[in-house]
Amino acid sequence: MRLVFAGTPEPALPALRALIDSPRHEVVAVVTRPDAPAGRGRRLLRSPVGMLADEHGIEVLTPPKASDPDFLARLTDIAPDCAPVVAYGALLPKVARDIPTHGWVNLHFSLLPAWRGAAPVQASIRAGDEITGASTFRIVRELDAGPVFGVVTERVDRRDTAGDLLGRLAESGAALLAATLDGIEDGTVTAAEQPAADVSYAAKLTVEDARLDFTLPATAVDRTARALTPEPGPWAMFRGERLKLGPVLPVVIDEPLPPGRILVERKRVLVGTATDPVVLGEVQAQGKRRMAATDWARGVRMEQDEELG
């Protein structure tokens, strides 16, 4: 099939590579978000999907909106058989959805109807799911509510960060998406409507969402920190400034430690929660490099009864 691939960030790359390498399909164009400023110089940079397409000489379309008339006209001229989508980052109007012969097929990183929305992997870790997965479905008007072609499952390791889990799902999901497109071309797959029950949503996370709350139990603090790693990155306030954190590890000690209270030991730095304390991994103070929490604690000359909040 002639494909127009829509996607933007790095997790979309395994799927795009799989389709470029497929002997059965031809990626004739990609649609991705417009170039955006990045880095200290705020230089305009192509998205990861756009850069991979450039490497392979594939036409790159960067409409400001999917309803842009010039984009719709070009998509009509291309006349794709199908349009696979992985984390494109914008909603598709009906006029765009109607152009490909076989519609738009989305790869979503959850077992739908669980965790519809922008941050399904983060939501799964935060909720303590033991099993998650990826789904391919036909895009409809409602958010992530279209009929499902297929799924793959993935176990959530107790120490997985969102980055770890998303990396595995991006690879297994790429194979699922390629198989789904093969099946659509052959007429051997059918899409099943999602059940109306057990629908849940995972809204896009902000930096404010990433502030750890040490008044919660250690299990919740641990899950939240892992769900927010690497982006947007967990943090807490220390001496009036934001301190970036990494994953933390719940431990058991003999004496209770009040929520947020910092206890510096010879080889570890602990912070109290509503239950057991957690051990800090790496931290990064403003204007400083990332370092082990023990090195940071020695550098700031920690006083008694100091807290993170």
Side-chain angles (χ1 to χ4, degrees):
M1 291 193 292
R2 286 167 50 82
L3 305 177
V4 169
F5 181 93
T8 298
E10 289 193 9
L13 295 182
L16 178 55
R17 290 194 185 98
L19 297 178
I20 290 173
D21 293 340
S22 169
R24 298 188 50 167
H25 308 296
E26 179 186 8
V27 181
V28 294
V30 304
V31 186
T32 190
R33 300 297 293 163
D35 298 356
R40 290 186 175 181
R42 308 305 292 164
R43 185 166 57 93
L44 286 179
L45 286 183
R46 196 74 129 175
S47 75
V49 162
M51 288 191 283
L52 181 60
D54 287 339
E55 292 174 12
H56 289 268
I58 298 171
E59 180 179 356
V60 177
L61 306 175
T62 59
K65 293 183 178 179
S67 58
D68 178 72
D70 291 339
F71 165 65
L72 295 174
R74 180 60 188 140
L75 196 60
T76 301
D77 289 342
I78 294 173
D81 297 310
C82 192
V85 185
V86 185
Y88 170 47
L91 297 176
L92 296 163
K94 185 176 185 303
V95 63
R97 297 199 305 271
D98 288 344
I99 293 175
T101 306
H102 294 290
W104 298 70
V105 176
N106 197 345
L107 171 64
H108 187 73
F109 298 118
S110 81
L111 296 176
L112 292 171
W115 306 129
R116 295 174 180 173
V121 174
Q122 293 86 342
S124 185
I125 291 176
R126 202 166 185 170
D129 293 346
E130 294 183 355
I131 298 292
T132 185
S135 307
T136 50
F137 69 96
R138 187 182 305 285
I139 290 181
V140 296
R141 177 180 177 181
E142 296 77 14
L143 178 66
D144 299 335
V148 173
F149 289 103
V151 301
V152 290
T153 59
E154 181 72 39
R155 180 169 294 280
V156 183
D157 186 86
R158 293 176 59 187
R159 300 312 308 158
D160 268 340
T161 65
D164 297 332
L165 184 55
L166 185 55
R168 298 202 302 275
L169 288 173
E171 295 293 341
S172 60
L176 171 66
L177 181 61
T180 297
L181 296 178
D182 291 351
I184 289 173
E185 183 179 38
D186 295 339
T188 57
V189 295
T190 56
E193 294 294 335
Q194 296 183 30
D198 300 323
V199 175
S200 53
Y201 293 93
K204 183 178 180 179
L205 295 169
T206 68
V207 172
E208 286 305 313
D209 293 326
R211 184 173 184 172
L212 294 187
D213 181 357
F214 292 101
T215 66
L216 297 175
T219 300
V221 175
D222 167 44
R223 289 175 181 171
T224 301
R226 288 187 290 111
L228 297 168
T229 300
E231 296 293 338
W235 60 275
M237 296 298 290
F238 176 73
R239 294 179 184 174
E241 293 188 345
R242 185 176 296 186
L243 182 70
K244 294 182 180 179
L245 306 172
V248 299
L249 181 66
V251 293
V252 178
I253 61 175
D254 293 335
E255 297 294 327
L257 193 61
R261 184 71 57 80
I262 301 171
L263 175 63
V264 180
E265 297 182 339
R266 192 167 69 89
K267 292 186 176 181
R268 61 184 185 177
V269 178
L270 300 97
V271 181
T273 75
T275 55
D276 297 316
V278 294
V279 177
L280 299 184
E282 289 188 332
V283 306
Q284 185 176 15
Q286 290 187 4
K288 304 290 185 181
R289 62 177 175 82
R290 183 168 285 272
M291 64 183 72
T294 48
D295 295 337
W296 163 76
R298 280 193 293 269
V300 299
R301 298 183 180 181
M302 194 74 65
E303 298 177 3
Q304 191 173 10
D305 297 339
E306 293 213 77
E307 296 183 348
L308 289 183

